[in-house]
Amino acid sequence: MRRQPVVLSLIVLLLIAGGGWWWKSRSAAHGGDAAAASAGAGVASAPGGTQLVGVVTAQRKDVPVTVEASGTVTPINQVDIRAQTTSTVRDVLVKDGQTVTKGQVLFRFDERADRANLDKARAQLARDKANLSDLQRQYDRAKELLAQNFVAQSAVDTALANLQSGRSLIDADAAAVQSAEVALSYNEIRAPFAGRAGAVNVWPGSLVQASATATPLVNIVQIDPIAIAFSLPETELAPVLDAMRPGTDGAKATPLDVQVVLPTIEGGPSRKDSKSGKAVESVARGKLIFVDNLVDATTGTIKLKAEFQNEAQKLWPGQYLRVRMTLRSMAGAIVIPQAAIILRGSDRQVYVVGPDKTALIKPVKVRYTFGEMAVVDGVDEGAQVVLDGKQNLRPGSPVRTQPAAVNPAAAAKLAAASAAEAGPAGQGGGNAVGVAAP
């Protein structure tokens, strides 16, 4: 009974001692963090700190203004070949997918009936011509007899009427011969233009009929030249029309240049520039030939069409491609990277390095963007525009410049070079920071 109060007292003392030790260690840890934070704040706000920034030079160049859209390759001419007569196919002279020339014979039909009709019409014409000759002699004889007072004037008039009737009959016979020749010509079908044939749907011995709803014998499309149809938002209509208008001096407007990147086979050989050896895009160039006369009210777009030379047949009807059209060129524009522009509400600003190696902020107006670059007003040619490290800048801050990194490999190389240059002496020297753009 006497041991219980002693044990309880020992337990209480141990708990008090443990709590005191825990509280003391916790207070020491918080004190260390606060000291470190104070030290860090003192370093960050150290006066006279020079910041390392990556800069690019504002360049003056001619910038083409382009618009892009998705387009579909469409043939300028295409036709479904159908029979104009009811007959039997005698010869099929075209193969599936064959390239044909204008006027090339594609099909021949059984022409015996039409040729017989033509011979009949010609025979009728010959008979009536013989009758006309007899009527002409009768008329001439009637006039001679009238001059000798052997016949009355009425006999001459009758002979003249018969002669004129015979002449009209000759004209009708000639028209019948021409009609028979046309019907006979339907038995031979020729290509109306040069192009490529599709699948042939008839064979020798097949019966064909003159019907607009019948299956076509073959389809022919023109491959060279060829067109690409595409649509643009109606907001782009005004620039397109402005570019197509004649000049103030009355000079004829030059058709707008349209480009399309040709597809390449994955893993296949790529075309390289002969001088630089770098891979280049395979681009086809054409001219804008058509702008629709109305805007599609349901989609708010305008239809356009461009014509391309296609000797190599790299463009194929129905192909889906990306089209790029040059509207005009901005001469002498100031170009900087878009990443250098600071967005603050509706304002656009950039940091430039002043003559005294301090950061100056300048408002700019973005006129046009293309890729990763932008055309701006408000920056002079040759100005050093801050690209890397601008997030830590303030107007008037002293800076130390280096070329801006534009890719991860260059960023890593610049970071390593900066660290080697700073060395151990630069470890406590203010808030110098090097930021590389990815």
Side-chain angles (χ1 to χ4, degrees):
M1 296 296 292
R2 295 179 179 178
R3 293 179 180 177
Q4 292 181 353
V6 176
V7 173
L8 293 174
S9 300
L10 290 174
I11 293 173
V12 171
L13 290 174
L14 289 174
L15 291 174
I16 293 174
W21 176 81
W22 175 81
W23 180 262
K24 183 176 180 180
S25 62
R26 184 174 180 275
S27 299
H30 278 283
D33 293 343
S38 300
V43 171
S45 60
T50 301
Q51 181 168 330
L52 179 64
V53 295
V55 297
V56 294
T57 302
Q59 299 180 353
R60 184 182 297 277
K61 60 175 63 176
D62 295 341
V63 178
V65 178
T66 62
V67 292
E68 293 191 3
S70 298
T72 303
V73 181
T74 58
I76 295 178
N77 292 319
Q78 62 176 334
V79 62
D80 290 334
I81 303 296
R82 289 185 171 89
Q84 291 183 271
T85 183
T86 299
S87 184
T88 304
V89 178
R90 189 182 73 185
D91 299 315
V92 176
L93 305 176
V94 62
K95 298 180 180 180
D96 295 342
Q98 179 181 344
T99 299
V100 299
T101 58
K102 183 178 181 180
Q104 179 178 338
V105 180
L106 305 177
F107 302 94
R108 288 195 178 100
F109 302 150
D110 185 1
E111 60 181 15
R112 290 174 295 178
D114 291 321
R115 186 167 294 280
N117 291 333
L118 176 60
D119 293 340
K120 180 180 178 180
R122 287 174 175 172
Q124 182 70 31
L125 175 62
R127 187 187 67 179
D128 290 340
K129 282 184 176 180
N131 291 335
L132 181 64
S133 299
D134 182 60
L135 293 174
Q136 181 69 45
R137 289 191 295 270
Q138 292 180 16
Y139 175 66
D140 293 339
R141 189 179 300 112
K143 288 194 298 181
E144 292 176 359
L145 294 175
L146 177 64
Q148 299 175 7
N149 295 322
F150 284 107
V151 295
Q153 180 64 39
S154 59
V156 177
D157 295 340
T158 301
L160 178 60
N162 292 334
L163 176 61
Q164 292 175 342
S165 176
R167 290 173 179 173
S168 300
L169 189 59
I170 292 297
D171 293 338
D173 291 341
V177 170
Q178 185 178 4
S179 177
E181 289 175 344
V182 172
L184 180 63
S185 67
Y186 290 158
N187 291 281
E188 186 176 79
I189 296 182
R190 298 177 178 267
F193 51 81
R196 188 180 179 92
V200 179
N201 298 316
V202 295
W203 297 266
S206 302
L207 177 66
V208 295
Q209 295 179 340
S211 173
T213 59
T215 302
L217 309 180
V218 70
N219 174 269
I220 297 178
V221 298
Q222 182 177 338
I223 300 296
D224 180 34
I226 204 166
I228 296 182
F230 58 99
S231 298
L232 290 178
E234 58 181 322
T235 53
E236 302 291 348
L237 177 59
V240 171
L241 296 179
D242 289 341
M244 295 181 64
R245 289 192 180 95
T248 55
D249 56 352
K252 187 177 180 180
T254 303
L256 293 178
D257 181 63
V258 182
Q259 301 177 10
V260 59
V261 178
L262 300 176
T264 56
I265 299 176
E266 186 176 356
S270 58
R271 189 168 66 88
K272 294 185 177 180
D273 186 80
S274 57
K275 296 182 179 180
S276 64
K278 297 181 180 179
V280 295
E281 291 181 331
S282 182
V283 177
R285 300 179 181 273
K287 298 297 181 182
L288 185 68
I289 60 172
F290 168 74
V291 178
D292 201 359
N293 59 354
L294 53 86
V295 174
D296 190 338
T298 59
T299 60
T301 58
I302 184 75
K303 296 179 181 178
L304 302 96
K305 187 180 293 184
E307 181 178 325
F308 292 78
Q309 297 300 319
N310 194 33
E311 296 90 348
Q313 298 188 1
K314 292 185 178 180
L315 298 174
W316 210 250
Q319 204 171 11
Y320 183 80
L321 297 171
R322 193 71 180 167
V323 175
R324 182 169 57 244
M325 183 169 62
T326 302
L327 298 179
R328 66 183 189 279
S329 179
M330 303 176 68
I334 301 298
V335 179
I336 63 172
Q338 291 192 55
I341 301 174
I342 303 171
L343 307 180
R344 292 179 178 173
S346 59
D347 297 332
R348 303 293 183 266
Q349 301 170 332
V350 296
Y351 276 109
V352 299
V353 179
D356 56 352
K357 297 297 182 182
T358 59
L360 303 177
I361 193 165
K362 285 193 172 185
V364 295
K365 180 181 179 181
V366 180
R367 296 175 56 192
Y368 176 66
T369 60
F370 59 102
E372 297 181 355
M373 309 301 289
V375 176
V376 299
D377 290 334
V379 177
D380 298 329
E381 179 184 4
Q384 291 186 314
V385 181
V386 177
L387 178 62
D388 304 332
K390 63 182 181 297
Q391 64 273 17
N392 298 323
L393 280 182
R394 296 294 182 271
S397 300
V399 294
R400 184 162 57 91
T401 62
Q402 67 178 8
V406 294
N407 56 62
K413 185 181 294 185
L414 286 174
S418 178
E421 179 184 355
Q427 294 179 359
N431 61 341
V433 179
V435 179

